[in-house]
Amino acid sequence: MSHAMSDDQVAGELKKMTMFIRQEALEKAKEIQIKADEEFAIEKSKLVRQETSSIDSQYEKKFKQASMSQQITRSTLANKTRLKVLSARQELLDDLFEKARDQLKSYSEDKSKYQEICKNLILEGLYALNEDKVAVRARKGDYEVVKKSIEDAKKEYKEKLSKNIEIELDEKNPQPEASSGGVSIVGTGGRIDINNTFEERLKLLETDALPMVRTSLFGKNENRKFYD
């Protein structure tokens, strides 16, 4: 048999129910807040990572651009410096050979030494041609000396090779008077001309001796791997 609850009992039950509902609501609100905080933290972390990644990407791009620009600048400066050095070296070499050209004529001033030089130049042509008859061309002003050089060359040629050779001075085709000296030895009926003038010998020296002269003046090129 049930008993009706008094007003106090009803009020007590209602209070308990209200407290329970309020507690449930608080706990639910707390759960929602925690979940919201977690989601916020995740989203915040995601945004931070995205922004950080974007910043890193931009920085990396700018760093690469700066590095590339620096490399280009360094390379350009190095090339300019290298070209300046090479230009200065070439000017020095050109000046060296220009001074040598200016001194060429002085070698014909001492007639005794010049006679010996011409003899050796003639002999060099004789050995190269290996013919029985050749012609020698020289400056008109050198004819007297060169005739003696021819006789000396003929004598030495016979002594070394035990055979005679006919050498004539080609007075119809003299070397230019403006040249520095030396001779040309012509063989095979005029088809082969060995140019042993001072100017030509200096040109050959520039070509053949230039690497050695460059090394003597500036040292060995460490970047060069192959040599002739």
Side-chain angles (χ1 to χ4, degrees):
M1 182 174 180
S2 60
H3 298 280
M5 290 189 295
S6 64
D7 291 340
D8 290 337
Q9 288 177 323
V10 171
E13 289 297 323
L14 286 174
K15 186 177 180 181
K16 288 180 182 179
M17 289 178 65
T18 300
M19 291 179 63
F20 176 77
I21 291 171
R22 184 171 179 276
Q23 185 63 33
E24 285 286 318
L26 289 172
E27 290 179 359
K28 191 67 176 177
K30 188 176 181 180
E31 288 179 6
I32 292 172
Q33 183 63 46
I34 292 173
K35 187 174 182 180
D37 289 342
E38 289 176 351
E39 290 178 353
F40 174 77
I42 292 171
E43 189 64 24
K44 179 182 176 182
S45 177
K46 182 180 179 181
L47 288 172
V48 169
R49 283 198 303 271
Q50 288 177 347
E51 288 299 317
T52 302
S53 177
S54 176
I55 292 171
D56 289 343
S57 178
Q58 291 177 12
Y59 172 78
E60 185 177 359
K61 183 179 180 181
K62 289 182 179 179
F63 180 78
K64 286 182 178 179
Q65 289 175 342
S67 296
M68 183 64 70
S69 177
Q70 189 179 43
Q71 289 176 6
I72 292 172
T73 301
R74 188 183 294 116
S75 177
T76 301
L77 288 174
N79 285 334
K80 285 184 178 179
T81 302
R82 179 173 174 273
L83 289 174
K84 285 183 179 179
V85 171
L86 290 176
S87 178
R89 288 182 175 182
Q90 190 59 48
E91 285 181 12
L92 180 59
L93 291 171
D94 290 343
D95 183 59
L96 178 66
F97 284 110
E98 186 61 36
K99 288 180 179 177
R101 273 187 286 273
D102 292 339
Q103 293 178 2
L104 286 179
K105 286 190 176 181
S106 66
Y107 290 106
S108 63
E109 294 174 357
D110 187 324
K111 300 304 179 184
S112 178
K113 289 183 179 180
Y114 187 49
Q115 180 179 328
E116 179 72 13
I117 291 172
C118 287
K119 180 203 77 172
N120 290 328
L121 292 175
I122 292 169
L123 278 171
E124 186 178 291
L126 299 182
Y127 295 140
L129 291 170
N130 192 27
E131 296 184 9
D132 296 328
K133 183 179 180 179
V134 299
V136 172
R137 293 171 181 167
R139 297 181 301 184
K140 285 184 179 181
D142 293 339
Y143 281 174
E144 184 180 346
V145 173
V146 173
K147 285 178 181 178
K148 295 177 182 179
S149 299
I150 288 173
E151 293 303 316
D152 293 341
K154 287 168 67 175
K155 181 179 178 181
E156 186 170 328
Y157 186 83
K158 184 177 181 179
E159 289 175 354
K160 291 190 175 181
L161 299 184
S162 301
K163 65 178 183 179
N164 293 317
I165 185 168
E166 184 179 343
I167 306 173
E168 70 170 2
L169 181 60
D170 184 2
E171 297 186 19
K172 294 181 180 179
N173 298 288
Q175 298 285 1
E177 287 301 313
S179 69
S180 300
V183 296
S184 288
I185 303 90
V186 183
T188 319
R191 291 192 297 273
I192 299 178
D193 184 351
I194 297 178
N195 191 339
N196 268 350
T197 59
F198 287 169
E199 286 88 354
E200 189 63 25
R201 296 303 294 255
L202 184 59
K203 286 180 184 178
L204 293 174
L205 181 64
E206 285 187 55
T207 302
D208 297 339
L210 188 58
M212 182 177 66
V213 172
R214 185 182 287 114
T215 300
S216 297
L217 290 174
F218 310 118
K220 188 176 180 181
N221 186 352
E222 298 297 333
N223 296 320
R224 189 173 181 182
K225 297 181 180 179
F226 303 102
Y227 295 87
D228 297 334

